[in-house]
Amino acid sequence: MKTVTKIGGQLVFPTQKHKLRVAAYCRVSTDSEEQLVSLATQRKHYEAYITANPDWEFAGIYYDEGITGTKKEKRPALLRLIDDCEHKKIDFIVTKSISRFARNTTDCLELVRKLLELTVYIYFEKENLNTGSMESELMLSILSGLAENESVSIAKNSTWSIQSRFQNGTFKLAYAPYGYDVIEGKLVLQPEQATIVKAMFDQTLAGIGTDAIAKELNAKKIPAKRGTHWTATTVRGILKNENYTGDAIFQKTYTDSHFNRHHNHGEKDKYRVEHHHEAIITKDMFEATQQVIRQRGKEKGALPQDKKYQNRYPFSGVIRCHQCGATFKRRIQGGRNSYVAWCCATHLTDATKCSLKYIKETALKYAFVTMMNKLIFGHAFVLKPLLASLRTLHSDDSITVIQDLDTKLAENAEHQKTLAYLLTKKYLEPAMYQKGNNELLQEAEQWLHQKDSLVDFLNDDNKTVHETRELLQYTCKAKMLTGFDEAVFQQFVEQILVYSRTNIGFKLKCGITLRERLV
């Protein structure tokens, strides 16, 4: 009988004349003092561990602090490590454990395979596992799967703990909205900011738009929450935040099983805690403001409870000046041969701020009839292709972009933390910190605006399809209009944009804007 003896294989590295260039990767999941001490200990350990081997050359230590391990995209040091491997700067990597390297099985296997293609191997100390001597990925797959399950378990326990605090009202906010400070986990009024918040609600109920409010705040050089300039989006965010009524709503967002964060549109329970903190405005004022926002374009100065001005005329609150953004007001022009006209509110107040003069109401009605007759005649060439494209447009791409923006915002926040840390350690001059931090804040604000726009698009997506279908069904059956039809106008037109006294645009509820010349 033949005797077979197994000869243990040795780890074979690429033939090379120079020493093996070895780098270490370490990570801690929070930025607490204890974890930072642990990180410092790991760095000292690996530097001594690598330099003690005469066949190794120290290639550096890559570390992420205060960053989750569930997503590789959220760890800049790890990505920099992979990039250096691609540029042939590293031959071998040492790390504490699979859970420190990646708590996501897919990411772990993807990174290991990528490094194997580059003939760069990883040694996991805790598991005593070396990817250079593995005959298969089975063991790594099992171990990384366990690491991922551990991460999921931790996340579930954390979620359960948070939800329990939601239910009993003991959850402490970590971030204060504009107008408040967080002191020992409680929201405390910031008097100067609270006055500004109250003024925003007052101005909105007085008919002033969010863009105008933002411009006024910027003109007065009043900084926003993070020291940046105001935009209509940030103002609108304040106006829609129920925290200012003294109540708090928890779990507005949630994290799914793949560690992606989403806005909560009813997928999870929400928790309202009444009288959670001191209010800046009353609940009645908040509700009135929401109605004004929903019914934008109403007459300046009209309150939601005041029906005197609502829909008084077909064009009330609908005509918008493209030059300054103000609403047009109805006026009676002329003497004996008087006629109805609409004029920009800004021009009426100060002609030097807006040069756009009045437009006759009869010209607006004639333009609407012309526009609708064009749609009735050419609906097959305009509306059918639009409806078809909307029906085939999936929101998956938008959701992916939102997730990417969330990733960028998280990375941006980490960069802000890094800058603050360097400043406190006096590694960075205050002027350099201010410059870098302002750039990060502006970048974050831009991404937040993009994200808000995409979320609004997803929420309005079904509505747009419905409105387009309604318009198509009407134009397929309708006869040519012979005069202005108020019911048809209110059914399909959202806004009239006035570009000049001879050129306007009808913004339809289905999302398209059609231009017409005034006669």
Side-chain angles (χ1 to χ4, degrees), residues 482-516:
T482 57
F484 180 76
D485 190 321
E486 181 178 340
V488 175
F489 175 82
Q490 292 180 340
Q491 182 179 358
F492 298 117
V493 178
E494 178 179 333
Q495 197 172 76
I496 298 176
L497 300 173
V498 180
Y499 304 105
S500 69
R501 296 189 73 190
T502 59
N503 196 345
I504 65 170
F506 291 95
K507 183 179 179 182
L508 305 183
K509 292 180 180 179
C510 66
I512 61 174
T513 301
L514 301 176
R515 289 203 181 203
E516 283 295 333

Side-chain angles (χ1 to χ4, degrees), residues 357-372:
K357 298 180 180 180
Y358 69 88
I359 294 175
K360 288 185 176 182
E361 185 175 83
T362 53
L364 292 171
K365 290 181 176 180
Y366 184 82
F368 170 74
V369 172
T370 304
M371 184 271 297
M372 285 303 301

Side-chain angles (χ1 to χ4, degrees), residues 400-445:
T400 301
V401 174
I402 291 174
Q403 292 172 351
D404 290 341
L405 288 171
D406 282 333
T407 300
K408 289 180 179 179
L409 287 167
E411 291 175 353
N412 182 283
E414 293 302 328
H415 291 326
Q416 291 182 46
K417 285 185 180 179
T418 302
L419 283 180
Y421 175 79
L422 293 174
L423 179 67
T424 57
K425 295 296 182 181
K426 297 183 179 179
Y427 296 147
L428 198 63
E429 292 294 329
M432 291 295 294
Y433 164 79
Q434 195 66 35
K435 181 177 181 296
N437 196 52
N438 284 342
E439 290 175 354
L440 288 172
L441 290 172
Q442 290 176 7
E443 186 179 61
E445 187 173 358

Side-chain angles (χ1 to χ4, degrees), residues 199-254:
M200 287 184 189
F201 282 89
D202 288 336
Q203 288 175 304
T204 301
L205 292 177
I208 300 175
T210 54
D211 189 58
I213 294 173
K215 287 180 179 178
E216 180 182 344
L217 291 170
N218 290 328
K220 293 180 178 179
K221 296 184 178 180
I222 297 174
K225 179 69 176 177
R226 298 178 180 177
T228 55
H229 67 283
W230 292 92
T231 66
T233 302
T234 52
V235 173
R236 192 179 304 112
I238 287 176
L239 295 174
K240 297 176 76 172
N241 191 340
E242 63 285 321
N243 279 329
Y244 298 114
T245 66
D247 293 352
I249 295 181
F250 297 132
Q251 198 158 251
K252 293 180 182 179
T253 62
Y254 68 94

Side-chain angles (χ1 to χ4, degrees), residues 126 149 178 279 284 305 336 378 394 449 515:
K126 181 180 177 180
N149 289 335
Y178 186 86
D284 288 341
Q305 302 91 331
R336 185 175 300 176
H394 298 290
H449 179 71
R515 289 203 181 203

Side-chain angles (χ1 to χ4, degrees), residues 19 28 32 40 42 63 133 154 167 172 177 185 233 244 253 260 323 338 348 372 383 458 510 515:
K19 293 182 178 181
V28 292
S32 66
Q42 290 183 57
Y63 59 93
S133 61
I154 292 172
Q167 293 172 3
K172 293 183 179 181
T233 302
Y244 298 114
T253 62
N260 295 315
Q323 287 188 22
S338 61
L348 290 173
M372 285 303 301
L383 297 177
L458 289 177
C510 66
R515 289 203 181 203

